[in-house]
Amino acid sequence: MSGVVFRVAPGGSLSGTLRVPGDKSISHRSIMLGAIADGVTRVEGFLEGEDALATLQAFRSMGVEIEGPQAGRVVIHGVGRDGLRPPQGELYLGNSGTSMRLLAGLLAGQPFDSLLTGDESLSRRPMKRVTEPLARMGARIDAAEGGTAPLRIHGGSRLTGIDYPMPVASAQVKSCLLLAGLYAEGRTCVTEPAPTRDHTERMLEAFGYPLHRDGASVCVEGGGRLTATDIHVPADISSAAFFLVGASIAPGSELLLEHVGINPTRDGVIHILRQMGAHIELLAPRQVGGEPVADLRVRHAPLHGIEIDPALVPLAIDEFPALFVAAACAEGRTVLRGAEELRVKESDRIAVMADGLRRLGITAEPTADGIVIEGGALRGGRVESHGDHRIAMSFAMAALRADGEVVIDDCANVNTSFPGFAGLAAGAGLAIQVSDDG
Ligand code: S3P
């Protein structure tokens, strides 16, 4: 399958001032919480990518009036905690794991039935991690064989709060259970084995919903109400990551990335790159709507391989494809362990990155829970993104250091998280051309 193809001429550098699109995780949550709040929620900086739009469309299908998005502005006319209406047909969530897992929690306690479906990739991803704890709360959900989507959620179940120690460090599982907890009787507590992104917790508080945090646990009491608020979505650090890596590896580069979210549960990419020798400065750190934000200045710097601290894995979980490109351009060996979750993302990111890096002449050995990459000279070649947006954008940046053209197949899904990527990257100096080979 080729579909949308990126062709990136080798070499060059990145420079200028950029603002990458809004944070995907925060954009999803703004729609979900705005929809079930009392009053009108105004969102700015909303990510107009396919994943967040799938969430938006799902709530429209459940009777929520939503204006926009227009230039990142969305106005959500909240229907209140019990105001959602039965959707007409299935809720198709495309490629979006966040939509499916969080909605499963939110819909488990509704009085109506719903059917959650997704594309081929989403229909392969593990859903038992949410359906099992939801079933313990009293939800009735039928999945396909193997526990995957489509998920048929039977309405009218009475949910009861549970105390759930999560077996995987997953913000999606945590958020799913907290959203179900809003509709459950009593208290729902989730304990994480390692810190994961806390946007749901921050946003629930911004909507006036009390949370109880105690160490690695977070709890909600069911039955409360959310009050509409204004939300400012910062630029997505996961999208900025491609530019942090690109500017770090390409001699002569200097970029200013504006208004990037630097929530400490998301900033692992900055720590890992700095440990590799990257030159990244945080300018004008500030708080915007309950989330920390800064402008990031990044300059080219020679990188060296490191052993990545497994504690940083959940804090950089979406940035590893880009970090693997940094490792390929670094001097020496980079070792990643404790990252088996990468195998169940939009693609098996360990296998797919190892395969692509090898095609570009790099020694990359996948392991069960990580990868070992020997830095070296990148050559040109043709790689397959397997429909995974972050793989496609990572290999586009690799061309900055390749000695020949890098061609990347199957790039349409870049629109799930980063509409306009090619244009923004070209403006900064990446010699990228996009074609649609049907
Ligand atoms: C997300 C959490 C992460 C991340 C995904 C978005 C979220 O998944 O990979 O892109 O918005 O909660 P896990 O929590 O399953 O690791």
Side-chain angles (χ1 to χ4, degrees):
M1 181 170 159
S2 49
V4 173
V5 177
F6 286 174
R7 286 190 169 77
V8 194
S13 61
L14 300 179
S15 61
T17 299
L18 309 179
R19 180 159 175 166
V20 300
D23 189 276
K24 183 153 76 75
S25 294
I26 298 175
S27 296
H28 281 296
R29 288 157 172 82
S30 69
I31 299 289
M32 294 181 190
L33 298 192
I36 58 166
D38 297 312
V40 176
T41 289
R42 290 189 167 75
V43 187
E44 274 180 34
F46 183 80
L47 169 66
E48 297 180 38
E50 287 166 9
D51 279 12
L53 292 173
T55 291
L56 187 152
Q57 194 49 49
F59 282 90
R60 276 194 181 134
S61 308
M62 292 186 283
V64 182
E65 188 192 336
I66 304 175
E67 298 171 55
Q70 204 172 34
R73 289 204 173 79
V74 178
V75 180
I76 307 156
H77 297 262
V79 295
R81 60 163 273 137
D82 300 314
L84 295 175
R85 292 211 298 266
Q88 285 309 311
E90 66 189 55
L91 298 173
Y92 177 70
L93 303 169
N95 196 241
S96 178
T98 309
S99 307
M100 186 163 289
R101 296 203 179 107
L102 272 57
L103 273 174
L106 201 151
L107 295 179
Q110 302 295 331
F112 52 80
D113 294 353
S114 45
L115 176 62
L116 307 184
T117 62
D119 70 6
E120 213 187 302
S121 156
L122 184 53
S123 304
R124 276 197 304 264
R125 296 181 64 188
M127 293 296 150
K128 271 191 193 152
R129 55 180 60 196
V130 291
T131 55
E132 273 181 0
L134 287 173
R136 284 199 219 173
M137 294 176 77
R140 287 175 302 135
I141 303 177
D142 301 327
E145 215 177 303
T148 51
L151 301 182
R152 185 174 293 282
I153 302 174
H154 300 277
S157 303
R158 266 177 67 126
L159 303 186
T160 313
I162 56 167
D163 214 326
Y164 189 65
M166 292 198 300
V168 280
S170 165
Q172 293 183 350
V173 175
K174 173 177 63 175
S175 303
C176 164
L177 299 179
L178 292 176
L179 292 173
L182 303 180
Y183 292 90
E185 211 174 284
R187 176 179 275 227
T188 300
C189 290
V190 189
T191 304
E192 28 185 27
T196 67
R197 65 191 68 192
D198 64 356
H199 305 300
T200 302
E201 296 91 305
R202 285 173 189 252
M203 205 182 284
L204 278 169
E205 284 173 332
F207 277 89
Y209 206 97
L211 283 181
H212 312 274
R213 298 179 208 234
D214 184 9
S217 301
V218 55
C219 308
V220 289
E221 295 283 341
R225 300 191 75 89
L226 286 77
T227 307
T229 186
D230 290 347
I231 295 174
H232 300 269
V233 183
D236 197 329
I237 191 169
S238 299
S239 297
F242 305 108
F243 290 93
L244 293 176
V245 168
S248 294
I249 62 174
S253 296
E254 173 163 350
L255 279 176
L256 184 68
L257 300 163
E258 292 181 317
H259 209 75
V260 180
I262 52 161
N263 180 315
T265 60
R266 294 285 299 282
D267 67 355
V269 63
I270 295 175
H271 294 291
I272 294 169
L273 282 173
R274 280 181 171 163
Q275 285 167 17
M276 297 176 79
H279 191 289
I280 300 171
E281 289 169 276
L282 268 53
L283 307 177
R286 51 208 183 264
Q287 290 283 325
V288 182
E291 289 278 350
V293 168
D295 303 319
L296 306 184
R297 179 151 57 208
V298 52
R299 293 199 185 99
H300 166 69
L303 302 183
H304 53 83
I306 59 166
E307 295 225 356
I308 297 171
D309 178 358
L312 289 173
V313 168
L315 313 181
I317 192 68
D318 291 336
E319 288 66 74
F320 283 105
L323 286 166
F324 295 168
V325 169
C329 297
E331 197 178 315
R333 171 180 295 184
T334 295
V335 181
L336 173 67
R337 294 193 188 87
E340 56 279 350
E341 274 295 298
L342 292 180
R343 293 200 178 272
V344 291
K345 293 295 180 186
E346 287 82 329
S347 70
D348 176 342
R349 287 182 172 161
I350 290 174
V352 171
M353 284 304 297
D355 182 51
L357 287 173
R358 285 170 165 181
R359 286 181 193 214
L360 301 183
I362 296 295
T363 304
E365 279 304 321
T367 60
D369 67 343
I371 194 167
V372 180
I373 297 171
E374 304 287 346
L378 279 163
R379 57 170 189 248
R382 188 160 195 141
V383 297
E384 172 55 53
S385 76
H386 288 267
D388 185 327
H389 53 137
R390 301 202 195 280
I391 305 281
M393 292 184 273
S394 299
F395 280 120
M397 291 298 169
L400 289 161
R401 280 281 291 272
D403 69 0
E405 185 184 52
V406 176
V407 180
I408 309 148
D409 287 322
D410 202 3
C411 297
N413 281 340
V414 164
N415 286 332
T416 61
S417 69
F418 200 153
F421 165 76
L424 206 63
L430 190 75
I432 181 168
Q433 290 198 321
V434 183
S435 57
D436 194 340
D437 293 5

